[in-house]
Amino acid sequence: MNYEDLLKEIVLSDERFVVMTAENRSAIRDIPAHLGERFIDVGIAEQAMVGIAAGLALRGRIPVVHALAAFLSMRAFEFIRTDVCIAGLPVKLVGAFPGFLSEANGPTHQAVEDIALMRSIPGMNIFCPSDEEDMLTGLKAFLKSPHPSYIRFNNLEPLIRHDKFHTGRAEVISGGRDITILTYGTLFREACRAKILLSGQGISVGLINLRTLKPIDEETIVNAAMHTSLIVTVEDHLLAGGLFSIVGELFLKHNVGCRVLPFGLDERWFKPAFLQDVLEYEGLTGEKIADKIMEESEKYAEHVEV
């Protein structure tokens, strides 16, 4: 089963659902034939789409809207904030090609600040699956939730079998005494490879797939910080406002101190290229993440000895 199959199953089982798109049908090509008037394509008009979705939701519908993540989260931001979230409407926002998945496109099409924008809105929930299986595992819970929701669409092949989904609860792949890697979305697979490489060198590595960034699993993050020597955040997002910022906020809130090594974009866009080339160039392959973690660990060990 893929995203389109599960979405169709959910939508056909409940007449309240309406599927909408701003001329982005790549993941839902067969849906229109099954939904009739419950499928709406507004063309390249993300703001209008969100406004229409809010109106439909006020009348008891559950709109599931699709657009490129960059244009959905930025161009339609005010409509999401004002029309959807102030009213607390159950509009579901599905952002296609978020972060590094916008491969071969320039900065205009790169959604690397979408998490920062969406999590700044009161009442918004955020789902960042690590692959297609992860997305399908949590999709029904997010679509049936009464809250406004932003979903970072991800149809990558899974590396692992995922646990049962619970909104606001992280998926703990492994615990670690030396290092804990926190990640979500596209880069989960690279973080997983880094864990395998580091474990092969005798390092105890924890790996946590956060899944939902809002609500965030505060308990799991704080517990990891209290029982490990180094927290590593890995994300295809700007460091400002993303997971790195979330971790810093939680440490201040809970009065927790721990070394943190962030992987992400610091005040810059990524160069347009195919995904594997982007990962190589940005130093975000599993191998390069592992190498940098080892380098940081060795520097810290030398500092402690001095």
Side-chain angles (χ1 to χ4, degrees):
M1 179 175 284
N2 58 22
Y3 171 79
E4 184 176 51
D5 294 333
L6 183 55
L7 177 64
K8 182 170 65 177
E9 179 183 298
I10 294 169
V11 171
L12 290 176
S13 70
D14 188 336
E15 291 188 354
R16 292 176 301 165
F17 281 101
V18 177
V19 175
M20 304 178 68
T21 183
E23 206 172 85
N24 180 237
R25 300 193 184 195
S26 58
I28 51 172
R29 294 193 187 281
D30 295 331
I31 289 283
H34 296 275
L35 292 190
E37 292 183 346
R38 286 201 286 147
F39 178 84
I40 303 170
D41 189 338
V42 302
I44 305 174
E46 292 83 2
Q47 294 167 319
M49 178 177 65
V50 173
I52 294 167
L56 288 168
L58 282 169
R59 288 155 180 80
R61 298 288 190 174
I62 305 173
V64 185
V65 308
H66 299 79
L68 295 182
F71 305 132
L72 183 60
S73 64
M74 291 185 282
R75 182 176 294 161
F77 178 80
E78 182 190 356
F79 290 76
I80 294 169
R81 170 195 177 273
T82 304
D83 294 356
V84 173
C85 290
I86 288 178
L89 300 173
V91 175
K92 313 305 173 182
L93 309 160
V94 183
F97 305 107
F100 290 170
L101 291 179
S102 179
E103 58 181 6
N105 285 316
T108 56
H109 287 59
Q110 294 171 4
V112 292
E113 59 279 276
D114 56 330
I115 301 301
L117 289 168
M118 292 298 103
R119 81 180 189 90
S120 73
I121 306 174
M124 176 65 80
N125 283 357
I126 303 173
F127 179 31
C128 299
S130 59
D131 50 55
E132 186 164 46
E133 181 189 313
D134 203 17
M135 180 170 62
L136 300 185
T137 301
L139 186 63
K140 187 173 291 186
F142 258 74
L143 294 190
K144 295 200 176 246
S145 161
H147 304 289
S149 301
Y150 177 67
I151 300 171
R152 256 188 163 207
F153 184 88
N154 186 349
N155 63 351
L156 293 175
E157 288 288 328
L159 281 183
I160 65 167
R161 293 299 304 273
H162 291 282
D163 293 341
K164 187 176 180 180
F165 179 87
H166 298 279
T167 301
R169 189 182 302 173
E171 180 183 33
V172 179
I173 309 302
S174 64
R177 297 181 305 279
D178 301 321
I179 295 163
T180 298
I181 302 174
L182 305 177
T183 190
Y184 63 89
T186 305
L187 295 184
F188 170 79
R189 59 205 301 110
E190 302 304 327
C192 194
R193 291 182 177 118
K195 175 205 173 315
I196 292 169
L197 291 169
L198 292 167
S199 297
Q201 299 185 53
I203 299 171
S204 177
V205 183
L207 177 61
I208 298 173
N209 174 24
L210 288 166
R211 286 178 154 176
T212 64
L213 294 189
K214 189 177 179 184
I216 191 80
D217 190 339
E218 295 189 18
E219 181 180 354
T220 294
I221 293 174
V222 170
N223 184 64
M226 294 175 67
H227 295 90
T228 196
S229 301
L230 175 68
I231 292 289
V232 177
T233 61
V234 180
E235 57 188 322
D236 58 338
H237 189 278
L238 295 172
L239 295 181
L243 177 57
F244 180 52
S245 292
I246 293 171
V247 168
E249 292 166 13
L250 288 180
F251 284 7
L252 286 172
K253 177 181 177 180
H254 293 278
N255 195 26
V256 172
C258 184
R259 290 185 301 131
V260 179
L261 175 63
F263 287 84
L265 296 171
D266 188 6
E267 290 293 321
R268 60 190 173 81
W269 315 112
F270 66 88
K271 286 182 176 289
F274 290 114
L275 180 58
Q276 191 57 41
D277 294 327
V278 170
L279 297 177
E280 289 286 346
Y281 183 84
E282 297 293 344
L284 290 168
T285 62
E287 293 76 12
K288 291 187 176 182
I289 291 171
D291 288 345
K292 191 167 182 181
I293 291 174
M294 282 295 296
E295 182 183 331
E296 175 69 18
S297 298
E298 289 168 1
K299 283 182 182 177
Y300 180 72
E302 291 173 2
H303 175 74
V304 170
E305 288 176 5
V306 171

